[in-house]
Amino acid sequence: MKERGKRNCGSDSAPHFDPPAAKPAWLRVRLGGGVGYRRVQAAVEELRLHTVCEEAMCPNRGSCWEKGHATIMILGGKCTRGCRFCGVEPAVPDLPDAGEPDRVAAAVVRLGLRNVVITSVTRDDLEDGGAAIWAATLEKIRLAAPTAVLEALIPDFRGRREYLDMVLAARPDVLGHNLETVPSLYPTVRRGADYGRSLAVLDRAGRAGLITKTAVMVGLGETIGELAQMFRDARSVGVKILFIGQYLQPTRRHIPAARYLEPFEFQELRKMALEMGFDVVVAGPLVRSSYHSPEQAAFLERMRAGQGMPAPGGG
């Protein structure tokens, strides 16, 4: 597969790649459209919200929405980074919407969510990286749904500790930040990100007493040795939850998958990670960082019952 031209994120001059090889059967999914799906869709549209399910072209949207699960994406639907693996539109975003936190909390109540996952685009255009909206959103959800388990899947805030601390002070039950891929692939896959900076985000969140989580894409050309080292790095900063999924090329403007791992390979990766000491490892071709996992939900309930995490609304 050959790249034609050079990418200029957010412009029309992005390269096009040859079409990827046909997806194997285990990667083919149906979008869905049942009663549950339409209920989530209506709430998202009427409350003028974005979801990572739609913006990042998640293959699990149909099954998750049908079950009433959706990952709300705050701070707009346009990202300032334009990473070459991500389906979110790279463009200059709109100004933050001060009413968004209230609408997100209303969606949580309307959908009766017990496990709430909030993520955002990266806002390098804002001085605080969107931290104030982040904190306000988490606080509004706590007030509206005090018993819900709240997971925040955050950007790196350019390594600015004071802004990260604003989000940590809102005390989500789980603080997620994705390493995404191995360090050798960062220059092409995660331009604008920094591996050490992402580890530092996870480390600081863990030291603040939060349960930390990260997610990894495979099939981009990484080696098993590189994955093993990345898992060790994540464990070294106290990450408890690891999600592993197959990279899928969103469009021909994105990096193509180097290969599609078979389901048994994900189970081997899961076994390896569990042996390193992760509490929860969810691995599979369609697993995404915001994927609703019964295993993770059960772990968090056990932690809450054993006071291993803050009680609902706790600080």
Side-chain angles (χ1 to χ4, degrees), residues 4-294:
R4 295 190 286 275
K6 295 182 179 180
R7 181 181 175 91
N8 180 7
C9 292
S11 77
D12 292 331
S13 60
H16 285 66
F17 296 90
D18 293 334
K23 293 178 183 177
W26 58 83
L27 289 173
R28 297 171 191 160
V29 296
R30 297 181 63 182
L31 179 59
V35 174
Y37 182 97
R38 292 193 296 273
R39 179 168 171 262
V40 172
Q41 185 178 45
V44 168
E45 291 177 354
E46 290 171 18
L47 292 167
R48 293 179 288 114
L49 299 174
H50 295 276
T51 68
V52 75
C53 322
E54 295 173 293
E55 306 295 344
M57 305 178 190
C58 179
N60 301 309
R61 184 176 74 181
S63 60
C64 286
W65 283 24
E66 187 60 40
K67 297 173 184 174
H69 305 302
T71 298
I72 298 171
M73 188 169 74
I74 62 174
L75 290 161
K78 300 173 184 176
C79 185
T80 55
R81 290 273 172 96
C83 293
R84 299 178 74 186
F85 68 88
C86 181
V88 176
E89 180 185 0
V92 177
D94 298 326
L95 291 174
D97 179 354
E100 186 175 48
D102 286 304
R103 296 200 307 277
V104 172
V108 169
V109 172
R110 177 169 168 176
L111 295 173
L113 300 180
R114 287 174 46 83
N115 296 277
V116 182
V117 185
I118 306 296
T119 188
S120 79
V121 291
T122 299
R123 294 296 302 259
D124 290 334
D125 60 313
L126 302 175
E127 171 60 29
D128 71 348
I133 292 290
W134 257 110
T137 301
L138 297 176
E139 289 163 1
K140 292 286 186 179
I141 295 172
R142 280 284 190 222
L143 289 172
T147 62
V149 174
L150 183 51
E151 178 178 335
L153 179 57
I154 65 171
D156 61 19
F157 299 106
R158 292 170 294 171
R160 297 286 295 273
R161 291 183 174 182
E162 64 269 35
Y163 300 132
L164 172 61
D165 287 348
M166 290 174 64
V167 180
L168 302 184
R171 306 302 294 176
D173 296 306
V174 179
L175 193 290
H177 178 68
N178 293 341
L179 293 175
E180 303 289 14
T181 190
V182 299
S184 67
L185 293 176
Y186 264 55
T188 53
V189 176
R190 291 199 75 196
R191 294 188 302 193
D194 181 88
Y195 186 74
R197 187 165 68 201
S198 286
L199 284 174
V201 167
L202 291 164
D203 185 40
R204 193 166 182 82
R207 291 178 185 277
L210 301 179
I211 295 173
T212 51
K213 169 182 176 179
T214 197
V216 177
M217 301 175 294
V218 293
L220 280 161
E222 69 288 330
T223 68
I224 188 67
E226 287 179 309
L227 285 174
Q229 184 58 54
M230 181 168 56
F231 295 171
R232 286 191 288 268
D233 291 342
R235 281 298 301 135
S236 75
V237 295
V239 173
K240 293 181 177 295
I241 302 173
L242 173 66
F243 278 28
I244 309 168
Q246 171 71 51
Y247 167 69
L248 297 175
Q249 183 184 27
T251 74
R252 290 182 61 188
R253 293 190 176 192
H254 293 81
I255 293 175
R259 77 182 186 95
Y260 297 124
L261 277 69
E262 297 196 28
F264 79 88
E265 294 179 271
F266 286 95
Q267 294 313 303
E268 292 178 349
L269 290 173
R270 180 177 184 272
K271 179 181 178 182
M272 179 175 71
L274 286 171
E275 290 173 349
M276 291 182 184
F278 289 97
D279 290 273
V280 176
V281 180
V282 181
L286 296 176
V287 168
R288 297 295 180 265
S289 55
S290 56
Y291 183 78
H292 180 73
S293 162

